[in-house]
Amino acid sequence: MTFNAPQAGLYEIAVDYAWIPDKLYPTEHDIQINGKCPFYEARRIVIAKIWADQKAAFEQDTPGNEITPRQRQLKQWQTTPLRDASYLNDEPL
């Protein structure tokens, strides 16, 4: 992708995306400006997938404990700001 910034400054980057449910792991990206990552956190950007329970009700095992339902990936559009993959910073990149 290419971005044009009208002036120098701090910008928050957000992306619109939808996953096609095919792989388990999220995708990883980086941010480069003029071919270089501008700061350490820009080297690894992880965009998470959206998950939901397959069933609304919790099943129970023999002793009556609730069993965590299986998960399924959702294919839906969402907008998310890009964040540090280590989650050490609360603010988006």
Side-chain angles (χ1 to χ4, degrees), residues 9-72:
L10 296 176
Y11 290 87
E12 179 179 310
I13 301 171
V15 294
D16 295 327
Y17 68 98
W19 288 114
I20 297 173
D22 61 346
K23 296 183 180 177
L24 179 63
Y25 301 106
T27 61
E28 294 189 21
H29 308 273
D30 66 355
I31 298 172
Q32 295 183 8
I33 298 175
N34 296 328
K36 296 182 181 179
C37 292
F39 45 89
Y40 183 80
E41 293 82 1
R43 295 173 185 228
R44 185 169 175 251
I45 308 297
V46 176
I47 299 178
K49 295 179 179 260
I50 305 169
W51 297 88
D53 295 338
Q54 282 186 347
K55 296 180 180 179
F58 285 89
E59 295 180 8
Q60 294 184 346
D61 61 11
T62 305
N65 299 312
E66 292 181 337
I67 300 172
T68 304
R70 290 182 166 266
Q71 298 291 295
R72 61 186 171 93

